[in-house]
Amino acid sequence: MNFAKYFVLCLFLSSPAHAYLSILESGEVLSSNLIQVGFEPQILTNRESGANFDVFVETGLNDSTSARFLIGGGTIDFNAFASVKWIPIPDFANQPAMGIRAGIGFARDNDDNVLQVQAAPLLSKRFETEYGLTVPYIAIPFTYLNTKEDNYVATNLAVGTEWQHPDLKDTMTLGGEVGVDLNKSYTYISIFATFPFESSKGFGN
């Protein structure tokens, strides 16, 4: 299992870029005794071609709330983003998890400084299969962007899934996400991996 961790880590660190305006999380809420680190390579497929790479850390605050801080760069020269996810309606029986993620960030895009304020309604559903736990999700981020030349709201549709192999449960989660530009945003393809740990135990539970 350590080989799988190192392989994924080396693959991600070889990417020449950073993530931008993506979601990368379902309605699952991290336990408050855990901290989670993650990596995201992202390929931009509209406007200007390019790629980004993002690193983030996340912690659970309570049963329905978690917080995340992200930093990255690439085609978007620099991007830092802090967010809080609140899931008041949990995944239960046939009911999907429903909530919202809100955040604020700063980006440097060419010669432009960009302030980001985002609200993203989020919905997801857990499915246990013989191949492991999968959690598909959908979100629509509304991101207010303040730039030197303009102020506007960018909107995109984010569709993705988290997946845990049965042998990697509580050790590593893999995922993928596709973003579709709805208004002045980016279309992109992202993959990501997250690794939970406790300060007293290290990676995994």
Side-chain angles (χ1 to χ4, degrees):
M1 294 309 112
N2 286 336
F3 172 78
K5 288 182 183 179
Y6 295 138
F7 175 78
V8 172
L9 179 60
C10 291
L11 173 65
F12 289 176
L13 292 180
S14 66
S15 175
H18 293 190
Y20 190 57
L21 297 181
S22 51
I23 293 296
L24 308 179
E25 57 183 325
S26 69
E28 300 290 290
V29 178
L30 193 67
S31 297
S32 58
N33 65 322
L34 294 178
I35 295 175
Q36 178 167 269
V37 295
F39 308 90
E40 178 207 8
Q42 178 194 62
I43 297 174
L44 302 175
T45 59
N46 72 335
R47 297 193 179 185
E48 83 182 286
S49 60
N52 294 309
F53 186 79
D54 194 33
V55 179
F56 55 88
V57 61
E58 179 179 357
T59 185
L61 302 178
N62 56 47
D63 291 343
S64 61
T65 311
S66 62
R68 175 179 290 196
F69 177 75
L70 164 157
I71 190 168
T75 298
I76 305 300
D77 300 324
F78 173 78
N79 182 40
F81 194 80
S83 63
V84 174
K85 180 176 68 177
W86 179 49
I87 307 295
I89 303 175
D91 187 331
F92 180 75
N94 294 324
Q95 171 186 279
M98 290 180 278
I100 190 167
R101 189 182 81 166
I104 186 168
F106 172 82
R108 179 74 176 174
D109 188 5
N110 295 321
D111 295 327
D112 209 359
N113 294 322
V114 184
L115 174 67
Q116 314 162 50
V117 180
Q118 184 185 88
L122 174 66
L123 183 149
S124 72
K125 190 74 184 78
R126 295 167 57 99
F127 296 97
E128 293 278 1
T129 74
E130 60 180 309
Y131 303 106
L133 172 66
T134 182
V135 189
Y137 63 86
I138 185 170
I140 303 179
F142 296 89
T143 310
Y144 170 77
L145 299 174
N146 175 268
T147 71
K148 180 172 60 178
E149 301 294 336
D150 196 10
N151 301 317
Y152 59 93
V153 175
T155 310
N156 62 288
L157 174 67
V159 180
T161 189
E162 298 174 341
W163 175 69
Q164 287 184 345
H165 187 278
D167 294 337
L168 298 176
K169 186 176 181 182
D170 300 325
T171 302
M172 179 173 69
T173 298
L174 300 176
E177 180 176 307
V178 174
V180 179
D181 174 20
L182 298 180
N183 179 60
K184 296 184 178 181
S185 187
Y186 288 90
T187 294
Y188 60 85
I189 300 171
S190 293
I191 59 174
F192 60 93
T194 59
F195 306 90
F197 66 94
E198 291 183 84
S199 58
S200 60
K201 297 181 180 180
F203 285 102
N205 290 322

